[in-house]
Amino acid sequence: MEMMQEVFDKLRSLQDVLSKKYEIEREINEIPKALTTKTELLNRLKKTYIDKNAQLDEAREKTKRLRSRLTEAEHQREIYEKQMDLIKTQREYEALDKEIKDATEKEQQLRKDILREEKEVEELSNGLAKEESMIKLQEDELKKEQDKIKSESEAKKSLLKDLRKEEDKIVPGLDEEILFKFERIIRSKAGLGIVPVRDSVCTGCHMILPAQFENEVRAGTDILFCPYCSRILFYAESEAEEGITFHEEDQGSLADLFGEEEDDDAGGGGGDDDDREEEDEDSTGDDSDDEEEE
Ligand SMILES: [Zn+2]
């Protein structure tokens, strides 16, 4: 019994260490995901920025071309206007007058086009300035996040190291197979791998245990796993004042199977303890291992 108590104590300490360890391992694994989202957003912003910047270059180039065409048109009109001084006939005058009118119209159209393009350039520039500050903001945020994550994960890793050291201190002397099962249970059952049996109920899953099985747990000569939730069980005295009773939803069918009478038998079987210990002495081959451990 004392040996078993020691094993249970070890398992409980190990449970504290392991559940913390798994939690931190999970957190460390989650870290890159947070960064990926932010990095992706930043890349999208940069892509848009590059596209818009190309549009702006194009608009600027177009404005430049329009301006040079305007200069040409103005120049052409001035030439026509100079020719006006040299004309001799009405016919020549009309022809030249038409050229000047056409050139003026062309100038006006080009001025309109230039204004339109300049507006486009201005809008694109303003948009880009906004995008630029967005990118800057996002970059700053990412940097901050990276720094935070770096210091956090360093802290977590050192914590993990400490936990592993603690684990190494507890583990020697524990049966390897039990250890393997125990670790798996803690991983899958939200950090709880060893629970007390109270009033015939596994407090891990709240199922009522068969009376014979409960007696075996009470005897405490072997490591026993709950047949329903696989957690390691140890016996705890009934604590009616704590209000830990059967869960109604679980009670129905099983209460029928292992009826009141059997529960009473289990309660009265307390005197059997001594016999049981003697019976199981041979099977607790672990004892020698435990003694060697320190
Ligand atoms: Zn259970």
Side-chain angles (χ1 to χ4, degrees):
M1 278 295 267
E2 252 172 50
M3 272 307 171
M4 217 49 197
Q5 204 49 54
E6 201 178 295
V7 172
F8 287 145
D9 288 345
K10 272 184 162 215
L11 287 174
R12 270 191 295 267
S13 315
L14 187 61
Q15 170 172 279
D16 289 344
V17 172
L18 287 179
S19 57
K20 274 182 213 143
K21 190 181 95 167
Y22 296 151
E23 176 62 24
I24 287 164
E25 281 174 350
R26 259 195 295 278
E27 282 169 9
I28 289 175
N29 284 337
E30 290 297 314
I31 284 171
K33 284 186 205 158
L35 274 188
T36 307
T37 316
K38 282 208 162 66
T39 311
E40 273 169 7
L41 177 61
L42 183 59
N43 287 342
R44 270 203 302 281
L45 283 173
K46 280 180 175 170
K47 171 90 172 58
T48 314
Y49 182 83
I50 288 166
D51 291 348
K52 279 199 177 156
N53 207 38
Q55 278 176 36
L56 176 63
D57 282 349
E58 213 175 286
R60 274 187 179 138
E61 201 51 48
K62 201 170 172 191
T63 311
K64 220 166 115 186
R65 282 198 304 273
L66 287 169
R67 277 185 198 288
S68 91
R69 277 174 66 196
L70 177 62
T71 310
E72 248 172 63
E74 280 169 346
H75 186 63
Q76 190 60 51
R77 180 180 44 81
E78 278 162 14
I79 289 171
Y80 291 143
E81 276 168 355
K82 270 177 197 151
Q83 283 172 355
M84 266 306 192
D85 301 335
L86 307 169
I87 52 152
K88 308 230 164 26
T89 64
Q90 176 70 18
R91 199 187 170 84
E92 272 179 355
Y93 170 80
E94 276 168 12
L96 196 55
D97 189 49
K98 190 177 181 307
E99 293 285 7
I100 290 170
K101 269 184 189 148
D102 288 352
T104 309
E105 240 173 68
K106 199 176 166 189
E107 269 181 59
Q108 277 166 356
Q109 185 58 49
L110 283 166
R111 285 206 174 90
K112 260 195 234 165
D113 291 348
I114 288 168
L115 277 179
R116 198 194 58 228
E117 265 332 291
E118 278 177 346
K119 208 175 161 221
E120 171 88 7
V121 167
E122 200 192 325
E123 274 170 15
L124 281 167
S125 300
N126 288 343
L128 276 173
K130 267 185 212 153
E131 303 241 341
E132 219 175 295
S133 62
M134 279 263 283
I135 287 172
K136 181 82 178 59
L137 206 75
Q138 199 62 29
E139 273 175 343
D140 289 349
E141 220 174 278
L142 188 65
K143 178 80 175 61
K144 253 188 251 161
E145 188 83 4
Q146 278 168 332
D147 292 347
K148 197 178 118 202
I149 277 168
K150 198 171 171 247
S151 67
E152 266 180 14
S153 72
E154 270 161 22
K156 282 194 175 116
K157 276 176 189 158
S158 99
L159 196 56
L160 204 58
K161 222 169 127 186
D162 294 344
L163 287 167
R164 283 186 183 135
K165 267 186 217 157
E166 274 186 64
E167 186 186 350
D168 289 344
K169 269 189 238 162
I170 300 167
V171 160
L174 286 172
D175 181 80
E176 245 175 71
E177 199 183 324
I178 282 165
L179 206 55
F180 177 76
K181 276 192 192 167
F182 189 61
E183 283 173 359
R184 268 197 15 210
I185 298 162
I186 289 177
R187 236 184 240 280
S188 64
K189 305 272 180 189
L192 211 55
I194 177 164
V195 293
V197 173
R198 269 207 187 96
D199 297 321
S200 316
V201 173
C202 164
T203 57
C205 64
H206 307 296
M207 296 293 271
I208 300 169
L209 300 163
Q212 177 56 32
F213 186 76
E214 191 202 1
N215 284 338
E216 285 172 36
V217 174
R218 187 200 297 248
T221 46
D222 208 353
I223 300 273
L224 292 169
F225 295 86
C226 172
Y228 306 106
C229 69
S230 307
R231 292 184 176 96
I232 290 175
L233 299 171
F234 64 91
Y235 190 79
E237 288 301 325
S238 167
E239 287 179 43
E241 66 272 21
E242 270 186 30
I244 297 168
T245 49
F246 309 112
H247 270 229
E248 277 164 30
E249 64 264 34
D250 297 328
Q251 199 174 0
S253 58
L254 277 159
D256 294 337
L257 281 174
F258 318 115
E260 288 292 311
E261 260 178 57
E262 282 184 63
D263 277 349
D264 287 342
D265 284 354
D272 296 346
D273 276 6
D274 288 351
D275 301 339
R276 272 171 205 288
E277 258 178 66
E278 278 164 32
E279 262 170 35
D280 287 302
E281 212 130 73
D282 326 19
S283 64
T284 51
D286 293 358
D287 289 10
S288 52
D289 292 351
D290 282 332
E291 279 158 17
E292 276 164 18
E293 151 214 331
E294 300 280 312

